[in-house]
Amino acid sequence: MPSPHGFRYEAHADGTVHITHHHRPATTLHGPRAAQFLAEVESAPDPQLVMARWTGNYKRGNERTARNHPRNRR
């Protein structure tokens, strides 16, 4: 499975963090959640994975199974 890419974040002086994916807004974090995100992303070996997880924009490995389910076939 390919690693996520295209995520960027901007930390602002007021404590807000904006995360974008391919230059489109993905999420905005405030207060303690922003501080927790910054601590995690700065210590992570792959910040892209952290940003993908925090935005909910990552593959879970079950996409092929769901696509092949009889209910989803047309």
Side-chain angles (χ1 to χ4, degrees):
M1 182 165 63
S3 178
H5 64 285
F7 288 98
R8 296 190 190 281
Y9 73 92
E10 293 180 6
H12 298 275
D14 64 354
T16 303
V17 175
H18 295 286
I19 303 174
T20 60
H21 185 240
H22 294 293
H23 306 291
R24 292 185 175 173
T27 193
T28 302
L29 304 171
H30 305 277
R33 293 196 72 222
Q36 183 182 0
F37 167 79
L38 288 172
E40 188 174 336
V41 79
E42 290 170 1
S43 66
D46 187 0
Q48 292 291 308
L49 289 173
V50 174
M51 288 183 272
R53 187 170 50 78
W54 275 79
T55 61
N57 187 2
Y58 63 98
K59 303 224 181 235
R60 293 161 184 86
N62 63 352
E63 289 80 12
R64 182 176 298 150
T65 304
R67 182 177 56 225
N68 292 334
H69 190 277
R71 177 181 60 230
N72 296 328
R73 286 194 225 164
R74 297 191 184 196

